[in-house]
Amino acid sequence: MGATRTPSNITQGSKAKGGIGESTLRPDGTLKVTGEFAYSSDMWHEDMLWGFTLRSPHAHAEIKSIDTSQALAQAGVYAVLTYDDLPTEVKNYGLEIQDTPVLAHGRVRHHGEPVALVAADHPETARRAAAKIKVEYVPLPVVHDEATAIAEDAPLLHPGRTDHHAGHVPHPNIVHRQPIHRGDVAAARARADVIVSGEYEVGMQDQAFLGPESGLAVPGEDGGVDLYIATQWLHSDLRQIAPVLGLPPEKVRMTLSGVGGAFGGREDLSMQIHACLLALRTGKPVKIVYNRFESFFGHVHRHPAKLWYEHGATRDGKLTHMKCRIVLDGGAYASASPAVVGNASSLSVGPYVVDNVEIEAIALYTNNPPCGAMRGFGAVQACFAYEAQMDKLAAGLGMDPVEFRQLNAMSQGTVMPTGQVVDSPAPVAELLRRVKAMPLPPQKQWETAGQSADVRALPGGLSNTTHGEGVVRGVGYAVGIKNVGFSEGFDDYSTARVRLEVVGGEPVAVVHTAMAEVGQGGVTVHAQIARTELGVTQVTIHPADTQVGSAGSTSASRQTYVTGGAVKHTCEAVREKVLELGRARFGSYHPAWATAELLLEGGKVVTDGGEVLADLADVLEGEAIDLELEWRHRPTEPFDLRTGQGNGHVQYSFAAHRAVVEVDTELGLVKVVELACAQDVGKALNPLSVVGQIQGGTTQGLGLAVMEEIVVSPEGKVRNPSFTDYLIPTILDTPTIPVDVLELADEHAPYGLRGIGEAPTLSSTPAVVAAIRAATGLALNRVPVRPEHLTGQQYSGG
Amino acid sequence: MDFLRPASWEEALAAKAEHPTAVPIAGGTDVMVEINFDHRRPDALLDLNRIGELREWEVGEETVRLGACVPYTRIIESLRAELPGLALAAHTVGSPQIRNRGSVGGNLGAASPAGDSHPALLAAGAEVEAVSVRGTRMIPVEEFYTGVKRNCLEPDELIRAVHIKKADGPQQFSKVGTRNAMVIAVCAFGIALHPGTRTVRTGIGSAAPTPIRATAAEEFLNSALAEAGLWDSGQIIPPAVARQFAELVSGAANPIDDVRGSAAYRRHALGVMARRTLGWAWEEYRGNERSARCA
């Protein structure tokens, strides 16, 4: 099609009001802050039943028998389903490996695994009926770490694996293994003047989205089902749901309902199939809403990790080599573990030039809670370790930690350990320079004119634990690298349907995609793109559903890039149709129709010189232009299973942080005073949303640094499934977050943009921990950092 | 589940006598969490919200009679001078929404060792007004707690009010949590100086099966202050005395390892809080003494 504008001149700024580059406001913003937004848990249907899930109290057990008779006998109960009630031969689902049972069959592999379903006319009735289901369990030995997973007598979590990783893994309890080799580590090591090594650990973080898993399944007259659901990827859900139900995909009609946050935790299925099974069995609408407790068992978490690193450097501060081994705990089912392994290994070196590497990353099958996608996806764990290593090296060389990083920072043209050349801006040194150049917050901000201290500015806050006693300030830096989009050869396309017509004399564009709006602001950005490309003011965002092609996942920082790219692409095609029509109708009246570069602006066809050729209304003459097109970014390649070589990633994204903390060194309490961030975003399509994403990601990283962890006992039991004991930062824990946005266009991406959602989550955590180390002088090789780590009183168990 | 809604205190007592397993509910900040988490499913709830007198307080000569349902927000706003320790503790309770609903009566009824008001009540000195159709009894707060989430109320009794000694000297409260707001105590400590009787009282929260006083620490400090004549001289407390006091507070605790913190950390943190809060309270006392002398 006749492209009329190139990314370079678009990024100069658009003339369309409400177009890209403007901070247009979110259509859902006011509703959400006033409590009026309808979330998936708010849905209601006449005659609906409530579904409830009976879950395993054991991390690993054989199921000898299930007796549902008493539950079925209870008044108000319409159905009780177990594995034996599944209607087809497809009884498992999974994102990449179909290893997750819809309902447990003979064995449960983690605490909280779904065993049976109840539908009743009241949620309390369903809950009570579920309590009457008698399940006879025989507990089995629990696999809870690498040693127990690969022990000689280790129980196999998934005996007889036939998945595409089964053939190359060293043990059947290893989901996937990805080594990467480049250069000559032995020779480089011999040249090193300083060698540092460390063992690091990252705890199990939860997405902690506020809207629990919920949805409504309504049986259709055609034998199909309508599912209203909060998810991250409608079509991925559909692909997994339909075969279990024994329905063709077109009979499972899915509509996105209000999503209360996701962060990766809705990429896997939760209650989708369960609600559909109950609805189809009872012939009635079925709603399932998890409560907060159940939600902690209803979605995957961030992989906890153990990481071993060795780096060397020459006296003048140049990195010689890096060796690392990353062990990720995938829990009972594969979920996104293989892709997390790919990220952890290929990004393990960080945003640095290291020519000689030996890397290995694996994910384990264990009886711990399943782990999968979460913001940062494998790159978070690695970043915590390599940034700790950078500080150790700088200390060993007597260099400034920022200068040392800048000396080794990658840039455009750097070759990654995978052999991939970084072929767009990679301003790593510049981002570090920018965060370092920001003014530091004043010292002792708790001191007031009067005698008393403002405890809100101190560690402990209103808990009144210090008035300045024992408080030491620390400053730390970190920088990270995240891939954007799905990698390793995945066909990562998006679809957009755009309709342009004149309604009441005014041109209106309708943008229809299956993109899950989970809070990222895609609905805002799609309207901006349509305004820019089609020169219209009125844009309607059609509800997301499966009546249009896939938009891929709202994850991997990809939606503005890929579905935004699809909207742009389809708008361009619509525009070309308009111009074709215009040429046919009016071409003979003005030579510019044939010769000039034409744009749509202000509801008119104009030349690039600004001359108006026709009104859109006159060109369209009552016709609507309606196109649905797919769009793809550059293809990627799988990583070689032995060498790790391959152009595996689409785009890289970078952010740097400087953390300033006050630590009460006697009590081990931390107040993060400021977390300054600098990030390259390529092009800020909506600057306000960009800053919001950066502040949100930064805060989630802070949470991992100092408080967020799902605690799992050695028996595989989740010990803190509540917001009482799984702590996330409150506004008093959230520091000032000054943000410096850099816009260096990536010529391969729509408008030159760079996916932004995840990068700030990476460097925030190690920056905070570096600052705590600076304040305390402690090694701190594990996150989250707990008060005990700072004061030395460990648990009596060790 | 029955939901009983008495319109008056008398009706409430009658209802409690008739339904001894009914769980009283006011703000619901504790009871509703228990129900939502399925930790308890009481046969009946006894709603106290229609009884306005429970949200009232009276400031008397020596004590404040605090209605069982007076929300924490009211304590912070209106009783800071009379009950400074409890006001500090109230500040650390949950979120603003929870402080608008939660009350000391609820804290006592739940009797969780982690309840924020207990250390302040123990340090200030307080009595619980427990009432049934059989009559009224006043229970010293240190005798009120009998075990983890257990208190000495009879099945037919309701808490009508708490009688708390008005501050006759500086009070402090300090609590360790792993977040800077809206957090359950890992451990907490309250201290009140009573210059009138030349005594110091303390309260420890979340570091034993029940809230407790650190009596050995109190006795040690009382003698140390008396022997050195510090109440009169207003001189600083020797660091060795403060350290010994802190160690005795640590020693009084009987904490456990749990998901919120280790037992060893709780003992350590209690010592630090004891030393610091004693220092703050004593500094304030010295300041008051100095200004009294100048006046």
Side-chain angles (χ1 to χ4, degrees):
Chain A
M1 78 207 38
T4 48
R5 285 187 271 196
T6 65
S8 57
N9 64 29
I10 280 289
T11 53
Q12 304 300 313
S14 143
K15 291 180 199 162
K17 191 167 160 38
I20 64 156
E22 281 187 42
S23 289
T24 57
L25 296 180
R26 304 175 56 110
D28 52 346
T30 305
L31 291 173
K32 281 178 174 168
V33 298
T34 55
E36 290 170 274
F37 185 81
Y39 289 97
S40 54
S41 52
D42 297 321
M43 289 184 293
W44 192 269
H45 198 293
E46 211 171 314
D47 288 341
M48 74 178 187
L49 302 176
W50 295 79
F52 187 86
T53 313
L54 179 72
R55 293 174 182 276
S56 167
H58 301 283
H60 200 192
E62 188 187 341
I63 297 177
K64 297 293 270 188
S65 65
I66 305 179
D67 177 1
T68 62
S69 54
Q70 285 190 38
L72 274 166
Q74 181 165 312
V77 171
Y78 283 70
V80 179
L81 304 182
T82 67
Y83 174 88
D84 292 334
D85 298 295
L86 296 178
T88 74
E89 286 312 302
V90 181
K91 299 178 193 295
N92 286 355
Y93 66 89
L95 287 174
E96 184 180 329
I97 300 172
Q98 284 70 51
D99 62 357
T100 314
V102 174
L103 291 167
H105 181 215
R107 183 177 176 190
V108 285
R109 295 177 180 82
H110 69 92
H111 181 202
E113 180 163 352
V115 174
L117 304 169
V118 179
D121 54 12
H122 190 279
E124 184 67 11
T125 307
R127 188 192 66 80
R128 287 183 188 175
K132 292 181 178 170
I133 299 171
K134 288 185 185 143
V135 186
E136 197 185 339
Y137 294 103
V138 178
L140 296 168
V142 168
V143 172
H144 63 91
D145 58 8
E146 187 180 14
T148 51
I150 61 170
E152 212 163 297
D153 57 347
L156 297 187
L157 269 291
H158 299 275
R161 278 175 64 182
T162 55
D163 61 82
H164 54 286
H165 295 299
H168 71 82
V169 291
H171 189 283
N173 280 344
I174 293 174
V175 187
H176 175 44
R177 172 177 180 269
Q178 181 64 63
I180 302 177
H181 299 288
R182 189 165 186 83
D184 185 343
V185 166
R189 194 173 195 280
R191 286 201 313 276
D193 296 309
V194 174
I195 291 175
V196 300
S197 60
E199 182 178 340
Y200 303 93
E201 194 175 346
V202 176
M204 186 186 288
Q205 190 179 19
D206 189 66
Q207 297 82 355
F209 45 69
L210 294 186
E213 293 83 348
S214 47
L216 177 70
V218 183
E221 286 176 5
D222 61 349
V225 62
D226 288 274
L227 179 62
Y228 302 86
I229 185 73
T231 181
Q232 280 179 246
W233 186 359
L234 288 166
H235 287 79
S236 165
D237 286 7
L238 177 61
R239 179 178 53 79
Q240 298 170 78
I241 296 168
V244 177
L245 303 179
L247 290 171
E250 63 274 14
K251 284 203 174 181
V252 181
R253 293 164 295 263
M254 297 180 62
T255 305
L256 187 77
S257 54
V259 184
F263 312 107
R266 294 186 209 271
E267 212 166 54
D268 293 78
L269 296 180
S270 57
M271 43 56 67
Q272 284 90 328
I273 298 176
H274 296 164
C276 292
L277 286 169
L278 290 170
L280 292 169
R281 170 63 74 99
T282 61
K284 285 173 167 288
V286 173
K287 173 174 175 171
I288 296 183
V289 180
Y290 293 173
N291 64 16
R292 180 61 56 197
F293 175 86
E294 188 172 17
S295 177
F296 274 96
F297 298 96
H299 60 263
V300 299
H301 316 291
R302 185 189 302 290
H303 287 73
K306 289 202 165 132
L307 310 96
W308 292 264
Y309 265 78
E310 179 188 295
H311 280 88
T314 56
R315 203 167 289 111
D316 58 357
K318 280 290 197 182
L319 288 167
T320 53
H321 72 284
M322 184 276 270
K323 291 200 288 186
C324 75
R325 181 160 190 276
I326 300 174
V327 178
L328 302 151
D329 183 351
Y333 298 104
S335 179
S337 282
V340 171
V341 166
N343 267 14
S345 55
S346 61
L347 301 171
S348 61
V349 74
Y352 302 107
V353 180
V354 192
D355 294 327
N356 306 287
V357 297
E358 279 173 19
I359 297 163
E360 181 192 24
I362 62 169
L364 304 169
Y365 275 127
T366 68
N367 293 113
N368 291 325
C371 289
M374 183 176 171
R375 196 178 198 170
F377 203 88
V380 161
Q381 294 90 333
C383 188
F384 171 64
Y386 62 68
E387 285 301 87
Q389 288 281 104
M390 291 302 117
D391 284 338
K392 274 190 193 177
L393 278 168
L397 290 161
M399 290 182 72
D400 175 83
V402 171
E403 283 170 24
F404 174 72
R405 285 175 170 84
Q406 287 172 320
L407 196 57
N408 292 286
M410 66 158 56
S411 53
Q412 187 161 357
T414 293
V415 179
M416 295 289 288
T418 55
Q420 185 166 23
V421 177
V422 178
D423 62 357
S424 70
V428 176
E430 172 64 10
L431 294 172
L432 285 161
R433 189 192 67 74
R434 285 177 177 237
V435 284
K436 195 179 181 186
M438 289 192 210
L440 281 161
Q443 297 280 346
K444 299 193 174 181
Q445 293 185 76
W446 60 86
E447 288 184 345
T448 60
Q451 279 192 332
S452 58
D454 181 354
V455 291
R456 289 171 304 178
L458 281 161
L462 288 172
S463 294
N464 192 37
T465 43
T466 177
H467 297 169
E469 299 92 334
V471 175
V472 180
R473 173 173 281 198
V475 179
Y477 293 87
V479 59
I481 176 171
K482 177 71 185 53
N483 60 319
V484 172
F486 281 33
S487 299
E488 300 184 59
F490 189 86
D491 183 17
D492 187 27
Y493 71 97
S494 280
T495 316
R497 194 190 129 220
V498 176
R499 179 183 173 90
L500 180 66
E501 63 188 319
V502 174
V503 178
E506 193 174 358
V508 177
V510 177
V511 177
H512 186 185
T513 74
M515 176 200 67
E517 173 61 56
V518 307
Q520 81 277 20
V523 291
T524 322
V525 162
H526 288 180
Q528 290 178 265
I529 292 171
R531 288 192 199 101
T532 290
E533 297 302 329
L534 298 174
V536 298
T537 307
Q538 295 289 335
V539 181
T540 303
I541 302 296
H542 191 284
D545 57 30
T546 52
Q547 306 306 305
V548 63
S550 174
S553 180
T554 302
S555 62
S557 307
R558 68 177 284 288
Q559 277 301 21
T560 302
Y561 190 131
V562 192
T563 306
V567 172
K568 176 175 188 280
H569 173 67
T570 310
C571 285
E572 286 166 350
V574 167
R575 185 174 61 213
E576 197 48 41
K577 287 269 183 206
V578 170
L579 297 180
E580 272 174 34
L581 271 178
R583 287 189 191 102
R585 284 183 180 142
F586 304 112
S588 55
Y589 299 112
H590 197 303
W593 282 102
T595 56
E597 209 168 294
L598 301 181
L599 313 171
L600 303 185
E601 270 178 18
K604 295 172 170 44
V605 179
V606 300
T607 67
D608 56 353
E611 188 182 353
V612 175
L613 296 187
D615 265 5
L616 264 184
D618 296 330
V619 175
L620 291 173
E621 272 189 349
E623 259 182 75
I625 297 173
D626 197 328
L627 295 177
E628 178 178 331
L629 297 173
E630 288 177 1
W631 186 80
R632 285 167 168 78
H633 56 64
R634 296 187 287 170
T636 59
E637 305 163 357
F639 298 126
D640 183 274
L641 287 172
R642 284 171 300 110
T643 66
Q645 300 300 296
N647 292 323
H649 294 309
V650 184
Q651 187 190 49
Y652 297 104
S653 171
F654 307 92
H657 278 92
R658 181 190 67 198
V660 180
V661 305
E662 311 280 10
V663 182
D664 182 337
T665 52
E666 273 190 294
L667 284 176
L669 302 178
V670 175
K671 166 84 180 174
V672 182
V673 176
E674 189 198 80
L675 257 172
C677 183
Q679 184 169 347
D680 173 29
V681 307
K683 164 72 184 171
L685 264 57
N686 187 310
L688 185 64
S689 287
V690 163
V691 171
Q693 279 281 0
I694 293 172
Q695 293 186 329
T698 298
T699 307
Q700 210 151 17
L702 181 160
L704 177 60
V706 295
M707 62 183 83
E708 292 191 41
E709 182 177 11
I710 292 184
V711 180
V712 181
S713 74
E715 299 78 38
K717 301 282 181 71
V718 178
R719 294 184 62 201
N720 56 341
S722 75
F723 279 167
T724 305
D725 285 314
Y726 182 88
L727 299 182
I728 55 178
T730 71
I731 195 67
L732 266 180
D733 300 282
T734 306
T736 311
I737 306 176
V739 175
D740 189 353
V741 172
L742 194 60
E743 294 184 83
L744 302 180
D746 175 354
E747 63 177 23
H748 309 287
Y751 305 118
L753 73 81
R754 204 172 281 285
I756 59 157
E758 294 170 285
T761 314
L762 271 58
S763 43
S764 168
T765 307
V768 169
V769 178
I772 301 173
R773 287 190 197 106
T776 62
L778 297 167
L780 304 179
N781 291 334
R782 185 185 199 283
V783 281
V785 175
R786 296 180 55 94
E788 286 90 344
H789 299 147
L790 301 181
T791 60
Q793 288 81 27
Q794 296 306 316
Y795 284 79
S796 49
Chain B
M1 189 186 300
D2 289 326
F3 191 63
L4 311 170
R5 299 201 65 209
S8 68
W9 179 245
E10 289 67 31
E11 280 183 39
L13 291 179
K16 187 64 172 148
E18 195 181 336
H19 306 273
T21 58
V23 173
I25 181 167
T29 59
D30 198 83
V31 174
M32 288 312 298
V33 174
E34 297 264 297
I35 290 173
N36 285 336
F37 275 121
D38 213 11
H39 291 162
R40 64 200 280 188
R41 294 278 158 166
D43 305 326
L45 289 177
L46 180 62
D47 176 20
L48 301 175
N49 283 298
R50 292 173 72 191
I51 306 166
E53 65 163 275
L54 296 178
R55 287 190 296 278
E56 292 167 7
W57 68 88
E58 293 159 41
V59 178
E61 278 290 301
E62 290 189 349
T63 61
V64 174
R65 182 178 183 276
L66 184 72
C69 303
V70 175
Y72 292 112
T73 303
R74 289 284 96 72
I75 298 170
I76 296 165
E77 288 169 353
S78 306
L79 292 166
R80 198 182 283 270
E82 295 83 359
L83 307 173
L86 187 61
L88 281 170
H91 246 305
T92 75
V93 174
S95 60
Q97 296 92 326
I98 290 170
R99 292 193 288 272
N100 286 340
R101 299 282 302 173
S103 61
V104 174
N107 234 196
L108 288 165
S112 159
D116 291 318
S117 55
H118 308 314
L121 296 178
L122 286 164
E127 288 183 317
V128 180
E129 183 181 335
V131 187
S132 71
V133 289
R134 297 174 291 111
T136 297
R137 60 180 180 134
M138 300 294 286
I139 307 164
V141 72
E142 43 273 78
E143 293 166 23
F144 183 78
Y145 316 106
T146 55
V148 177
K149 297 197 173 188
R150 281 189 293 122
N151 59 39
C152 68
L153 288 178
E154 297 294 332
D156 62 347
E157 281 182 319
L158 291 172
I159 300 169
R160 187 174 201 173
V162 193
H163 300 249
I164 308 160
K165 290 255 171 38
K166 279 165 67 178
D168 56 339
Q171 300 186 349
Q172 279 292 343
F173 175 86
S174 191
K175 155 176 152 182
V176 166
T178 43
R179 156 165 93 180
N180 289 323
M182 232 174 106
V183 68
I184 293 194
V186 171
C187 53
F189 184 72
I191 186 167
L193 307 188
H194 300 283
T197 51
R198 303 208 157 179
T199 55
V200 176
R201 284 173 60 113
T202 60
I204 292 174
S206 218
T210 66
I212 51 169
R213 283 172 65 186
T215 36
E218 292 175 11
E219 283 161 15
F220 161 77
L221 187 59
N222 289 341
S223 351
L225 293 176
E227 279 165 27
L230 295 181
W231 288 106
D232 290 323
S233 70
Q235 287 182 338
I236 61 161
I237 296 176
V241 171
R243 269 202 306 277
Q244 177 73 13
F245 171 70
E247 271 174 37
L248 289 167
V249 168
S250 276
N254 183 20
I256 55 166
D257 278 346
D258 68 14
V259 73
R260 290 173 194 149
S262 71
Y265 174 76
R266 286 183 157 107
R267 280 187 192 279
H268 164 79
L270 277 171
V272 175
M273 288 191 290
R275 181 161 42 77
R276 288 182 182 174
T277 53
L278 173 62
W280 302 334
W282 192 255
E283 268 311 295
E284 190 187 333
Y285 171 71
R286 296 175 67 215
N288 294 346
E289 284 299 289
R290 275 198 298 273
S291 36
R293 277 186 207 130
C294 295

